[in-house]
Amino acid sequence: MPDDRPVALDEYPVHQVPLSMKHVATGDRNAYDRCIFHVFDHQGRALLVLGLGVYPNVGVIDAYATLRVGDTLHAVRASDALDDDERMRLSVGPLRIQVERPLRNFVLSCAADPDDPDGLSYEITWSADFPALWEPHHLQRRGARLTLEGRRFVQAGRCDGWIKVAGQETRLSGDGWTGTRDRSWGTRPLPGEEGGRLAEEHRTEGFHWLWCPVRFDDRFLMVVTQEDADGYRTLNDATLVRAGRRDRQLGWPRAEIAYRSGTRHPERATVHLGDPRKPLELGVEILASSPLAVGAGYPPAEDWQHGTWQGRGWTDRRAYDLSDPAALGLAAYGVTDHAARFTLDGRTGYGIFEHGSFGRHDPSGFTGFDSVAP
């Protein structure tokens, strides 16, 4: 029997190109479609990061969840063969994301491990407080080759439900917890990508990244920047969303980050926003940190990365000690998500201060990959 048959999604008028919904409109092995959710309390006691991704040209679907409590990072990861007939079922192993109402309500769940009653499990209702906001179209090239093209939107809301780990159950309430999320799709490098001559001749000297979705009671703010070693900006946006009003663009965000001595770990920051007629300052206080290279499958993780074939029905649970220098050394070369308290124009809000700074960055005074704050 031929395996190229119509799939269930082909019944719906959602096609963008003259192909079955089984196929994406590129043969690039790095094609992806995934999401990330953040759930965290306002005191910095817990930070849950979870996501799910589909990699159609390598036939993989995978998901992860990491919970930081104290210096312990509890992780659950799962991977399987992609089933084209069940593309709308966002579930891998014990991890599931259920879309109750698109762009509004989601149920995030991780089933308990019957062999490890102290392991991580949760069931959380994630509800949007603001409409989803497009981020800038994201392009990266290495020489003449397009290495990343992504379309993303971001959103913030509140969370209710429960989290269980190490014999303790924590109840989530809408007034004491915040949720953010990001949806993206396109192409981005998967492990095993061959760089060839362009990679050899266009080595990365430095990379500086900032991604900040912030939820206030009556408004949502999104800030994103990406800079090269010399400070040249390849991604830039700062947008304020308020009910019943047109979105306000806040110019060219400029961040002043106070790093922990001897590291590139941010402890606080001020992000300057707005046009010259009314400048604004976004204050940032870090509450809790979760390095995406530890447990969550982002590069340069060595034990598991997104889109890699692990076989059918693979599930892995483990705990990482973030006070272990080995874990921190790995995390230093990946992006870290920081739950943070923000202040803006007399208001207090909560969100994610996602940051990564590697190699040379002239505006920060970093001279190379071994350069750190004094």
Side-chain angles (χ1 to χ4, degrees), residues 265-278:
H265 179 89
E267 293 186 326
R268 60 190 181 280
T270 301
V271 183
H272 301 275
L273 303 167
D275 58 46
R277 295 169 296 176
K278 189 182 179 182

Side-chain angles (χ1 to χ4, degrees), residues 32-37 49-55 60-65 78 82 86-93 95-98 109 182-184 296 298 304 306:
Y32 82 104
D33 198 334
R34 73 185 187 206
C35 63
I36 185 172
F37 286 80
V49 183
L50 63 99
L52 182 145
V54 165
Y55 307 89
V60 172
I61 180 171
D62 55 33
Y64 65 91
L82 180 62
E86 297 294 342
R87 193 69 66 86
M88 296 177 69
R89 185 184 66 201
L90 306 181
S91 177
V92 194
L95 298 163
R96 184 181 185 190
I97 297 171
Q98 182 174 333
S109 59
D182 172 285
R183 271 285 285 121
S184 69
Y298 286 78
W304 170 73
H306 302 152

Side-chain angles (χ1 to χ4, degrees), residues 13-328:
V14 294
H15 298 80
Q16 298 294 309
V17 293
L19 293 171
S20 165
M21 292 299 292
K22 178 178 181 177
H23 306 294
V24 289
T26 175
D28 194 326
R29 71 179 293 273
N30 298 312
Y32 82 104
D33 198 334
R34 73 185 187 206
C35 63
I36 185 172
F37 286 80
H38 303 88
V39 175
F40 53 93
D41 74 302
H42 295 171
Q43 286 73 47
R45 294 171 298 188
L47 170 55
L48 176 67
V49 183
L50 63 99
L52 182 145
V54 165
Y55 307 89
N57 289 342
V58 293
V60 172
I61 180 171
D62 55 33
Y64 65 91
T66 64
L67 174 70
R68 177 163 189 171
V69 179
D71 282 334
T72 302
L73 191 74
H74 304 271
V76 180
R77 297 87 67 83
S79 179
D80 211 337
L82 180 62
D83 185 341
D84 296 299
D85 281 329
E86 297 294 342
R87 193 69 66 86
M88 296 177 69
R89 185 184 66 201
L90 306 181
S91 177
V92 194
L95 298 163
R96 184 181 185 190
I97 297 171
Q98 182 174 333
V99 181
E100 295 283 291
R101 289 194 298 169
L103 303 175
R104 296 291 300 276
N105 302 103
F106 308 84
V107 177
L108 317 174
S109 59
C110 176
D113 181 357
D115 297 324
D116 181 14
D118 289 336
L120 175 63
S121 62
Y122 56 81
E123 183 162 316
I124 299 166
T125 299
W126 195 107
S127 303
D129 284 335
F130 302 94
L133 176 70
W134 286 114
E135 297 180 40
H137 197 73
H138 194 180
L139 295 170
Q140 285 184 196
R141 295 184 184 275
R142 175 163 280 173
R145 189 193 170 201
L146 183 66
T147 58
L148 183 153
E149 182 174 13
R151 192 56 167 147
R152 296 198 302 266
F153 63 78
V154 66
Q155 200 167 21
R158 63 190 60 239
C159 304
D160 296 276
W162 54 265
I163 300 172
K164 294 179 182 177
V165 72
Q168 299 292 322
E169 178 177 318
T170 300
R171 303 296 302 186
L172 282 61
S173 62
D175 57 351
W177 293 71
T178 284
T180 63
R181 76 182 188 101
D182 172 285
R183 271 285 285 121
S184 69
W185 56 94
T187 57
R188 63 189 296 168
L190 295 177
E193 176 72 358
E194 173 55 52
R197 182 180 68 84
L198 290 179
E200 179 68 26
E201 297 182 2
H202 298 274
R203 294 181 180 274
T204 300
E205 293 185 70
F207 172 85
H208 195 80
W209 169 264
L210 186 66
W211 181 85
C212 296
V214 188
R215 169 182 168 254
F216 297 91
D217 286 342
D218 64 342
R219 60 197 61 197
F220 170 65
L221 173 67
M222 181 61 198
V223 178
V224 60
T225 66
Q226 179 178 312
E227 294 181 352
D228 293 337
D230 60 359
Y232 186 89
R233 193 163 289 189
T234 56
L235 197 64
N236 180 86
D237 190 53
T239 301
L240 188 66
V241 177
R242 294 164 291 179
R245 303 178 67 175
R246 187 172 184 176
D247 293 349
R248 181 183 174 193
Q249 294 174 318
L250 296 178
W252 190 269
R254 182 174 58 85
E256 296 179 12
I257 302 174
Y259 293 99
R260 183 180 301 160
S261 179
T263 74
R264 295 197 197 183
H265 179 89
E267 293 186 326
R268 60 190 181 280
T270 301
V271 183
H272 301 275
L273 303 167
D275 58 46
R277 295 169 296 176
K278 189 182 179 182
L280 294 171
E281 289 188 352
L282 178 68
V284 185
E285 176 191 357
I286 302 301
L287 300 175
S289 304
S290 186
L292 295 180
V294 180
Y298 286 78
E302 295 177 340
D303 56 357
W304 170 73
Q305 287 193 32
H306 302 152
T308 56
W309 176 243
Q310 303 295 316
R312 295 178 182 271
W314 177 81
T315 299
D316 178 74
R317 293 176 180 258
R318 64 181 65 192
Y320 299 86
D321 179 3
L322 293 184
S323 66
D324 180 356
L328 292 178

